[in-house]
């Protein structure tokens, strides 16, 4: 009986074992599946994190580079807008020294001065501009010119007594001063506009003076043509044709009467357009084709004679 019971239990036990093995296999399979899923998700997550980290690093690197470039461009822009104050100061100091030299020059005998009601021009003996001074509407403008007659400095004293200083290099404003402090580029719009206006006015003043200089040179050429040169073309119209070109000798005066010597002496003045108070002299020279009376006797300057002419006047006068 007991053997029969044991035999009946064996299939049951086997069935249970098979079930347990199946359950264990399924469980193991499920665990393995879950582990594989977790590893896949973890790997994808790591990849995602790595990509995001790499992108952040790239963005940060590009941002840093862009920021650096922007900073360099900004610095370059500032450097373009603002010149080096040390270089500007060096140029300004040179201009200031030039101003001091011009102040000494205009008090010397080498300075040539031209004046009218509103302006005074100071030039060297070659006619080159040194300083021009102009007064208008209660304000005084002083223009300083450098080598080549370029405008390098303008000093302004307005109607209220305020002083303004404009320093230029190659036609551009490099320094502006009102009071004690120096100001550099970029300048305020009003300062820049005033600077350009004053600069152009200084250029125009110089152009006017150059035009006057050319006209005076033409007048001198006309005088020379009316005097010395015409002596060669019409020697018969002169008592001594070469009295304006060379020193006279005793031989040149031989055979001339006292009246002829008087005429010979005065024809030196007549070449320069002198108008004579003596009627006989005036009538005599007006009969000559070369004579052009342009200066009354009281306005005529003996300094218009050359050194040779002055010596010949004294030489003839000693023999009259």
């Amino acid at each position: 009986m007991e053997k029969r019971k044991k035999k009946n239990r064996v299939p049951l036990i086997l069935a249970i074992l098979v079930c347990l093995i199946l359950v264990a296999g399924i469980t193991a399979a499920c665990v393995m599946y879950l582990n594989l899923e977790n590893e896949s998700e973890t790997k994808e997550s790591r990849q995602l994190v790595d990509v995001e980290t790499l992108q952040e690093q790239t963005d940060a690197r590009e941002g840093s580079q862009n920021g650096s470039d922007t900073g360099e461009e900004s610095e370059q822009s500032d450097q373009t807008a603002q010149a080096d104050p040390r270089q500007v100061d060096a140029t300004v100091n040179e201009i200031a020294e030039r101003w001091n030299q011009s102040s000494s020059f205009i008090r010397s005998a080498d300075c040539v001065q031209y004046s009218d009601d509103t302006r005074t021009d100071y030039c060297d003996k070659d006619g080159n501009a040194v300083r021009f001074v102009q007064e208008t509407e209660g304000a005084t403008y002083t223009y300083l010119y450098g080598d080549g007659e370029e405008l390098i400095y303008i000093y302004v004293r307005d109607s209220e007594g305020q002083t303004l200083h404009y320093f230029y290099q190659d036609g551009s404003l490099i320094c502006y001063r009102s009071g004690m402090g120096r100001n550099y580029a970029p300048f305020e719009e009003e300062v820049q506009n005033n600077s350009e206006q004053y600069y152009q006015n200084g250029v125009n003043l110089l152009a006017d003076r150059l035009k006057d200089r050319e006209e005076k040179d033409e007048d001198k050429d006309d005088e020379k043509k009316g005097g010395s040169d015409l002596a060669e073309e019409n020697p018969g119209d002169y008592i001594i044709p070469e009295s304006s070109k060379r020193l006279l000798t005793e031989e040149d005066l031989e055979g001339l009467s006292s009246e002829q010597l008087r005429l010979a002496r005065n024809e030196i003045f007549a070449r320069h357009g002198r108008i004579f108070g003596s009627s006989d002299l005036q009538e005599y020279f007006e009969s000559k084709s070369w004579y052009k009376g342009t200066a009354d006797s009281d306005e005529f300057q003996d300094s218009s004679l050359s050194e040779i002419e002055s010596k010949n006047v004294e030489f003839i006068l000693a023999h009259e």
Side-chain angles (χ1 to χ4, degrees):
M1 188 81 175
E2 288 181 359
K3 287 182 179 181
R4 190 181 297 149
K5 288 182 178 179
K6 287 181 179 179
K7 288 181 179 180
N8 293 334
R9 290 178 181 173
V10 170
L12 179 62
I13 292 172
L14 290 175
I16 293 172
L17 288 175
V18 171
C19 290
L20 290 175
I21 291 172
L22 290 173
V23 171
I26 294 171
T27 302
C30 290
V31 170
M32 291 179 63
Y33 177 80
L34 292 174
N35 288 337
L36 290 174
E37 287 288 330
N38 289 335
E39 287 179 0
S40 177
E41 290 178 358
T42 301
K43 187 175 181 180
E44 290 179 357
S45 177
R46 286 177 181 175
Q47 290 177 345
L48 181 60
V49 171
D50 291 342
V51 170
E52 292 176 349
T53 302
L54 180 61
Q55 185 65 40
E56 290 176 356
Q57 292 175 350
T58 302
D59 293 341
R61 191 182 306 113
E62 291 178 351
S64 175
Q65 185 175 358
N66 291 338
S68 176
D69 293 342
T70 303
E72 290 177 358
E73 292 175 358
S74 177
E75 182 178 355
Q76 291 175 355
S77 177
D78 291 340
Q79 290 176 351
T80 301
Q82 296 183 353
D84 186 350
R86 291 172 298 181
Q87 295 179 356
V88 174
D89 284 338
T91 303
V92 169
N93 292 337
E94 291 177 2
I95 294 174
E97 179 60 27
R98 189 65 175 256
W99 172 266
N100 294 333
Q101 293 173 358
S102 70
S103 297
S104 300
F105 174 80
I106 64 178
R107 293 191 293 268
S108 70
D110 294 329
C111 180
V112 178
Q113 179 177 335
Y114 302 95
S115 298
D116 57 26
D117 294 338
T118 60
R119 62 184 282 190
T120 301
D121 300 345
Y122 300 97
C123 304
D124 62 22
K125 289 193 172 182
D126 293 328
N128 297 316
V130 177
R131 265 165 59 172
F132 287 178
V133 182
Q134 183 184 39
E135 296 182 5
T136 176
E137 298 180 356
T140 301
Y141 303 86
T142 304
Y143 304 87
L144 176 67
Y145 300 88
D147 297 332
E149 295 186 300
E150 79 279 13
L151 183 56
I152 58 177
Y153 170 70
I154 301 176
Y155 169 77
V156 180
R157 185 178 181 86
D158 63 21
S159 57
E160 298 178 355
Q162 182 183 12
T163 58
L164 308 172
H165 308 261
Y166 300 84
F167 299 86
Y168 299 87
Q169 185 177 36
D170 298 328
S172 298
L173 181 67
I174 59 172
C175 181
Y176 164 75
R177 183 160 64 86
S178 174
M180 298 301 295
R182 292 179 177 179
N183 299 289
Y184 310 97
F187 302 100
E188 295 180 2
E189 183 177 358
E190 181 179 0
V191 171
Q192 186 67 40
N193 291 340
N194 289 340
S195 165
E196 293 173 358
Q197 176 184 345
Y198 300 154
Y199 187 90
Q200 187 59 49
N201 189 58
V203 171
N204 292 340
L205 291 177
L206 179 59
D208 290 343
R209 179 54 64 200
L210 291 175
K211 184 177 180 180
D212 294 343
R213 190 187 308 168
E214 291 174 356
E215 291 177 352
K216 287 183 178 180
D217 290 341
E218 290 176 358
D219 291 342
K220 288 181 180 179
D221 291 340
D222 290 343
E223 289 180 5
K224 185 177 181 181
K225 183 66 176 176
S228 300
D229 288 353
L230 282 178
E232 297 178 357
E233 298 175 6
N234 304 292
D237 272 358
Y238 291 85
I239 296 175
I240 306 178
E242 296 184 349
S243 62
S244 64
K245 291 188 173 183
R246 62 174 177 83
L247 293 175
L248 301 179
T249 65
E250 296 287 344
E251 185 178 356
D252 293 313
L253 306 185
E254 285 182 3
L256 296 179
S257 66
S258 177
E259 180 60 24
Q260 288 176 316
L261 289 173
R262 176 172 174 255
L263 293 174
R265 174 171 58 85
N266 281 287
E267 75 181 4
I268 295 176
F269 296 102
R271 283 189 175 98
H272 294 273
R274 179 176 178 176
I275 298 175
F276 298 93
S278 175
S279 59
D280 63 326
L281 285 175
Q282 187 63 30
E283 290 176 4
Y284 172 80
F285 288 113
E286 284 182 349
S287 68
K288 304 301 177 182
S289 60
W290 53 264
Y291 176 72
K292 295 179 181 179
T294 57
D296 292 332
S297 57
D298 57 346
E299 296 178 353
F300 185 82
Q301 300 292 325
D302 289 348
S303 59
S304 62
L305 302 181
S306 68
E307 184 177 356
I308 289 177
E309 289 174 322
S310 296
K311 289 183 177 181
N312 283 340
V313 167
E314 295 176 0
F315 183 72
I316 297 172
L317 184 61
H319 289 76
E320 286 185 28

